[in-house]
Amino acid sequence: MAQSPATKLGHGLAKVLGIKLNYRNEVSSPDALTRGESVFSVASADTYVEEEPTSAEWIRETLPSGHDLILYGRSLFPFTHWIGRYNLIWLAGDLVAGITVGAVVVPQGMAYALLADLPPEFGLYTSFMGVLIYWFFATSKDITIGPVAVMSTIVGNILIKVHKTHPKLVLDQVASSLAIVAGGIICFLGLVRLGWLVDLISLTAISAFMTGSAINIAVSQVPTLMGITGFSTRDSTYKVVIHILQHLGRTQLDAAMGLTALAMLYLIRSACVFASKKKPSRQKTFFFISTLRTAFVILLYTLISYLANRHHRKKPKFKILGTVPRGFKHARVPTVNKTIVKSFASQLPVSVIVLLIEHIAISKSFGRVNNYQINPSQELVAIGVTNLLGPFLGAYPATGSFSRTAIKSKAGVRTPFAGVITAVVVLLAIYALPAVFFYIPSSSLSAVIIHAVGDLITPPNTVYQFWRVSPIEVFIFFAGVFVTIFSSIENGIYVTIAVSAAVLGFRLFKAQGRFLGKVKVRSIAADTNLGGDGGFDSKGQSPFDKGSGKTRSIFLPIDHDDGSNPEIHIDSPYPGVFIYRFSEGFNYPNASHYFDYLTHHIFKYTRRTNANSYPRLGDRPWNDPGPRRGRVAEVRDDLPTLKAIILDFSSVNNVDITSVQNLIDVRNQLDRYASPEKVDWHIACINNRWTKRALISAGFGYPTPADAGIHRWKPIFSVAEIGGFDSAASAAEQRDNEKNNQRQRTRDLEHGSDGIAPRSDDSSSSDLDKRLSHSGAYKQGTKLAVVHGLNRPLFHIDLTSALESAILNVEQRSDTLKPAAGEPAAPVEIAANK
């Protein structure tokens, strides 16, 4: 076929650059491999030569099409998928949930603004913009965006540091600038669909961060709760505890308003939980009473404060909130300049991390609970846009709130539109209630904060479950908590993420491969008695003999490291044949570790093929000098020589240049070890076409020619019957059972240097037709199709076919006798196809 001008140009350029286009091309020589069409008759099977994936194909699959761009644009506004079907039933649920959350977010928002070292009205602005904007971009109906305790604490720490280094900067403008910069970063990550990056942060790191932060925040609020002054509550947690104990004698009347409010909050919640258990029919009523406890307590103590301080506005008897301006008095175009950004640049990473992990962790959790799936990337867009637009009305960084999200979910929210209802409630509070806010006791707001963050502390039972699942991660958890307590929230986040990444890296780098052996199993009835004399009955039959169904072979680690019964004897696959399974993928970090173990094991359990390969002492390599002078070399004649290696790629998805090069190096090393023979490399369960292409480029997938000439192989073909019956593994197992594990030799003789003439194509085709006609899956009018390409004879669909192929080829090379007359040829794997 004539080549196109582009192809000719490319081939000419490759020739000039010295690029060998046919390097390791197994089909470049038509005589090098004869596994193909002559084996199958046209009437019985469809031939298949597997094509390699191309770069153009990858580009087509990767680049978005016009339809993909349309779907992407629509995915940015998820409300368009459901707003057209909005109905009154949904509205009723959203009204209840929205009003309920609004009653909670108003006092919480003001309290969290104080944590951020800002006036209380900024908490209301942040709450309003969060719930108003989020519903346009939301993929979660439960999430409530607004001020949260942890983020507010971090903002407060940042503003205190900025005030010390840049005293001329307006702190609320710094907070707004932080929201815009962090929101811009998060929005960009969402737009380019990098939401999966959040999955790099483990649940252990999130739990440690939330627990340590909750303890830090709760302790920092105790001085305000008790009316104690004279020291900084922004110090490390342990220092704040020490200062509280030192200044306990300075407790003021604020303690009466704070401690009783905190006790009432817990008392109401406990009473509602108890009552709902006693009267399940009124569980919904008790839930709403419990949910509104925060609003009720704040209103009650505001009334008490008003009665105590209405004649003492200038010098109140205990600290109160003070003047809260009506309306959006701080609405403006945010100021973002180099000076402001530099003032908080060092704290920007932790701010972004907190905004991400708290929101995504909460949204995923409630999505699983309520049976829907969120889009992490779109959630990042929602957080980012909220923080980009919020500062125009005076908002500071906001993210998802755990406590308000839980309330919203339990209140029966139906759609994200409930956020609009909450926004209306907050808007009414901003314009109608500022006069009432004046008398709110600060200690009562501290009680609200302590009560809210108490639910973020990981309970002991959960930590115990961590221990049951992964003990090492419990140490990571406590490391994060202790660093947060004895240092800061920021350092606690960095430590848990860094240590989790280190553990992941260690597991990846030190991934341990497993050598597998063969075990026969059979399913038996669950009530079968396995006791007695080794499980045998009076007739001498074991449950294995009486089991229903066919026996089958499975492959287990030889060292029983998977927890299988150590009393089970695991057979070696075949003398000199090894099955090796990768456990954690196969890439450049772990390739060397995998193969160090592989070669060590092989050298330990095999002997060199040619024991006299070093006739003189000087011919030996320095790392294998042999026995000392006067001593006899170790006799290893009882060990087999290396024949074949089967690699199980079931856990491998992608490979890289380094891992493939390591594979090539080990192949060459073992070829020298087995010289003058060649080691057969069979690879099973390859899941990725690009992995196949990489292995083929390295010379795997087809036989390695012998030094004396081309060595023709006879692998087992994996074929599928167009319709759907027994698998290839089942056919091989059935034959194995019927013949009592007797190995069958192949009738087809291979080309080689042994001088035996090859069989004609007609004879080979006839043999295969005969075998297929006896197969249980071969039916009249049914055609067969090859599963793997004929040009990839050493790639196998499963370990059974790989082992059968390896054994048959080993026996073919070692035995020059023909099979006995009438002896069946090697089985062909078939499965249903249509």
Side-chain angles (χ1 to χ4, degrees):
M1 186 176 65
Q3 294 181 336
S4 65
T7 302
K8 291 181 179 179
L9 178 62
H11 287 187
L13 183 60
K15 187 174 182 180
V16 172
L17 296 176
I19 299 175
K20 300 178 182 179
L21 297 179
N22 291 327
Y23 183 65
R24 290 201 183 103
N25 185 1
E26 78 278 15
V27 295
S28 60
S29 175
D31 296 327
L33 182 67
T34 55
R35 180 193 175 175
E37 291 74 12
S38 63
V39 177
F40 285 100
S41 67
V42 177
S44 64
D46 291 330
T47 59
Y48 170 57
V49 177
E50 185 174 353
E51 298 290 338
E52 293 183 359
T54 62
S55 299
E57 180 182 343
W58 180 84
I59 292 174
R60 287 194 301 270
E61 292 175 352
T62 304
L63 292 181
S65 63
H67 181 65
D68 292 335
L69 293 176
I70 294 174
L71 293 178
Y72 169 76
R74 192 181 179 193
S75 70
L76 294 176
F77 303 97
F79 77 94
T80 59
H81 295 275
W82 54 265
I83 194 66
R85 299 175 179 84
Y86 202 79
N87 53 66
L88 292 177
I89 297 177
W90 288 2
L91 178 61
D94 290 344
L95 276 172
V96 173
I99 294 172
T100 303
V101 173
V104 175
V105 73
V106 170
Q108 277 193 358
M110 292 187 293
Y112 292 155
L114 299 178
L115 275 180
D117 212 41
L118 292 170
E121 62 266 24
F122 285 92
L124 296 176
Y125 305 154
T126 306
S127 301
F128 173 77
M129 292 300 289
V131 294
L132 181 64
I133 296 173
Y134 175 70
W135 80 277
F136 283 99
F137 309 95
T139 61
S140 170
K141 68 180 180 66
D142 300 298
I143 285 288
T144 299
I145 288 187
V148 295
V150 178
M151 192 68 233
S152 298
T153 301
I154 291 175
V155 171
N157 294 338
I158 292 173
L159 296 184
I160 290 173
K161 292 179 182 178
V162 170
H163 183 65
K164 292 179 181 178
T165 57
H166 301 79
K168 294 183 180 180
L169 293 178
V170 181
L171 295 184
D172 60 271
Q173 290 185 354
V174 175
S176 296
S177 298
L178 175 63
I180 288 178
V181 176
I185 294 172
I186 294 172
C187 186
F188 171 77
L189 294 176
L191 289 174
V192 297
R193 294 313 195 225
L194 293 178
W196 52 268
L197 288 173
V198 182
D199 295 331
L200 296 174
I201 303 175
S202 67
L203 178 61
T204 308
I206 296 174
S207 300
F209 146 72
M210 295 179 70
T211 300
S213 300
I215 295 173
N216 179 290
I217 294 167
V219 170
S220 70
Q221 289 303 299
V222 171
T224 306
L225 185 79
M226 305 286 289
I228 302 172
T229 57
F231 59 91
S232 173
T233 60
R234 300 285 178 173
D235 290 336
S236 299
T237 306
Y238 79 98
K239 290 183 179 180
V240 176
V241 173
I242 294 174
H243 293 322
I244 291 172
L245 296 176
Q246 289 175 339
H247 298 83
L248 202 56
R250 298 183 183 181
T251 302
Q252 303 294 324
L253 185 60
D254 301 69
M257 304 297 290
L259 290 174
T260 54
L262 182 62
M264 184 171 292
L265 287 169
Y266 279 106
L267 182 63
I268 293 174
R269 184 172 74 175
S270 300
C272 289
V273 171
F274 178 79
S276 63
K277 291 180 179 179
K278 289 293 184 180
K279 296 185 177 181
S281 60
R282 297 186 179 180
Q283 189 171 6
K284 197 75 172 180
T285 302
F286 292 122
F287 162 73
F288 282 110
I289 294 174
S290 177
T291 297
L292 297 175
R293 66 186 181 275
T294 301
F296 170 75
V297 169
I298 289 296
L299 288 175
L300 175 62
Y301 280 83
T302 300
L303 176 62
I304 296 173
S305 175
Y306 167 74
L307 296 175
N309 294 311
R310 57 182 173 171
H311 302 301
H312 306 279
R313 288 175 61 93
K314 294 185 179 179
K315 296 185 65 176
K317 295 183 178 180
F318 42 82
K319 189 177 180 180
I320 57 178
L321 197 59
T323 302
V324 177
R326 187 186 308 272
F328 296 95
K329 298 299 183 182
H330 298 276
R332 79 274 180 169
V333 177
T335 301
V336 181
N337 54 45
K338 184 178 180 181
T339 302
I340 293 179
V341 174
K342 286 181 66 177
S343 67
F344 60 72
S346 62
Q347 300 297 316
L348 188 58
V350 71
S351 301
V352 171
I353 291 173
V354 171
L355 290 174
L356 289 178
I357 63 177
E358 194 162 3
H359 181 98
I360 299 299
I362 293 170
S363 58
K364 282 187 175 181
S365 176
F366 280 92
R368 286 190 290 266
V369 169
N370 294 314
N371 196 28
Y372 64 86
Q373 188 173 5
I374 69 156
N375 183 341
S377 296
Q378 183 58 28
E379 289 298 312
L380 297 191
V381 173
I383 304 172
V385 174
T386 299
N387 285 284
L388 283 171
L389 299 181
F392 286 87
L393 291 183
Y396 68 91
T399 188
S401 166
F402 176 80
S403 59
R404 297 194 295 273
T405 298
I407 291 171
K408 189 177 180 181
S409 177
K410 292 180 181 178
V413 63
R414 303 302 297 270
T415 72
F417 187 75
V420 177
I421 312 299
T422 302
V424 173
V425 175
V426 177
L427 188 65
L428 290 174
I430 291 174
Y431 280 96
L433 299 179
V436 177
F437 296 156
F438 180 89
Y439 289 103
I440 295 179
S442 297
S443 57
S444 299
L445 283 179
S446 293
V448 169
I449 294 173
I450 294 173
H451 182 66
V453 300
D455 293 332
L456 301 180
I457 298 176
T458 304
N461 183 60
T462 302
V463 179
Y464 175 71
Q465 297 304 319
F466 287 174
W467 175 264
R468 294 284 298 170
V469 174
S470 178
I472 191 172
E473 293 190 75
V474 175
F475 294 102
I476 298 175
F477 171 82
F478 282 113
V481 173
F482 288 147
V483 170
T484 302
I485 291 174
F486 290 95
S487 180
S488 64
I489 294 176
E490 296 90 332
N491 291 339
I493 294 172
Y494 292 143
V495 166
T496 51
I497 293 177
V499 177
S500 296
V503 171
L504 175 63
F506 178 82
R507 288 171 173 170
L508 180 63
F509 277 76
K510 293 295 184 180
Q512 184 67 55
R514 291 285 182 267
F515 282 94
L516 307 181
K518 193 175 181 181
V519 176
K520 276 195 172 185
V521 297
R522 170 179 284 179
S523 299
I524 62 175
D527 57 352
T528 302
N529 182 15
L530 299 178
D533 299 329
F536 290 91
D537 60 13
S538 58
K539 298 181 180 179
Q541 288 186 316
S542 70
F544 187 87
D545 300 321
K546 298 182 292 183
S548 61
K550 302 175 183 178
T551 61
R552 64 187 187 278
S553 291
I554 61 172
F555 298 90
L556 297 176
I558 293 176
D559 54 10
H560 292 284
D561 274 358
D562 63 336
S564 56
N565 189 347
E567 295 182 0
I568 295 175
H569 175 70
I570 299 179
D571 296 323
S572 174
Y574 188 82
V577 176
F578 295 87
I579 303 176
Y580 190 63
R581 172 177 290 166
F582 298 105
S583 58
E584 298 266 357
F586 177 49
N587 297 101
Y588 71 92
N590 52 31
S592 294
H593 187 71
Y594 273 135
F595 290 130
D596 287 345
Y597 177 62
L598 182 142
T599 53
H600 174 76
H601 182 89
I602 289 176
F603 291 160
K604 182 177 179 181
Y605 292 102
T606 62
R607 58 182 172 85
R608 187 180 293 277
T609 304
N610 185 2
N612 299 320
S613 56
Y614 304 124
R616 296 180 302 176
L617 181 62
D619 293 336
R620 301 191 70 95
W622 66 272
N623 60 333
D624 185 17
R628 293 180 178 274
R629 293 184 182 275
R631 294 190 178 181
V632 180
E634 181 183 1
V635 178
R636 298 166 59 89
D637 292 341
D638 58 319
L639 298 178
T641 59
L642 178 60
K643 299 294 192 308
I645 295 174
I646 301 171
L647 299 180
D648 182 358
F649 266 52
S650 56
S651 64
V652 177
N653 187 39
N654 293 292
V655 295
D656 50 49
I657 294 174
T658 306
S659 60
V660 172
Q661 182 58 49
N662 273 271
L663 189 57
I664 294 171
D665 293 340
V666 171
R667 178 182 64 179
N668 293 332
Q669 178 185 10
L670 295 180
D671 275 348
R672 290 192 297 270
Y673 178 74
S675 177
E677 297 293 333
K678 296 293 184 181
V679 180
D680 306 344
W681 290 80
H682 299 258
I683 303 178
C685 308
I686 304 176
N687 303 311
N688 188 308
R689 292 179 65 208
W690 287 92
T691 299
K692 286 185 181 180
R693 169 175 158 158
L695 294 171
I696 292 163
S697 299
F700 294 90
Y702 48 91
T704 302
D707 294 337
I710 297 173
H711 187 88
R712 184 176 185 262
W713 286 70
K714 169 113 180 102
I716 302 260
F717 299 142
S718 295
V719 297
E721 179 186 338
I722 307 177
F725 282 88
D726 293 338
S727 67
S730 299
E733 294 295 342
Q734 184 176 6
R735 190 190 101 267
D736 193 47
N737 294 332
E738 291 172 353
K739 296 298 180 180
N740 195 20
N741 298 324
Q742 179 181 359
R743 303 289 182 192
Q744 305 299 337
R745 298 185 179 93
T746 175
R747 290 180 178 272
D748 293 337
L749 299 180
E750 300 182 347
H751 291 289
S753 59
D754 52 9
I756 300 178
R759 185 167 299 182
S760 67
D761 290 344
D762 292 339
S763 176
S764 178
S765 176
S766 176
D767 288 340
L768 180 62
D769 289 339
K770 186 181 298 182
R771 286 150 57 193
L772 293 176
S773 65
H774 289 293
S775 170
Y778 185 82
K779 303 296 181 183
Q780 184 68 26
T782 303
K783 297 198 70 173
L784 300 174
V786 181
V787 174
H788 283 303
L790 301 176
N791 55 332
R792 310 287 185 256
L794 301 190
F795 289 161
H796 304 279
I797 196 170
D798 57 14
L799 287 177
T800 299
S801 62
L803 181 58
E804 290 285 331
S805 179
I807 293 174
L808 287 170
N809 280 283
V810 169
E811 292 183 346
Q812 162 63 26
R813 287 184 304 177
S814 61
D815 193 347
T816 59
L817 296 177
K818 294 184 179 181
E823 188 177 3
V828 177
E829 291 194 337
I830 51 179
N833 194 336
K834 212 164 208 181

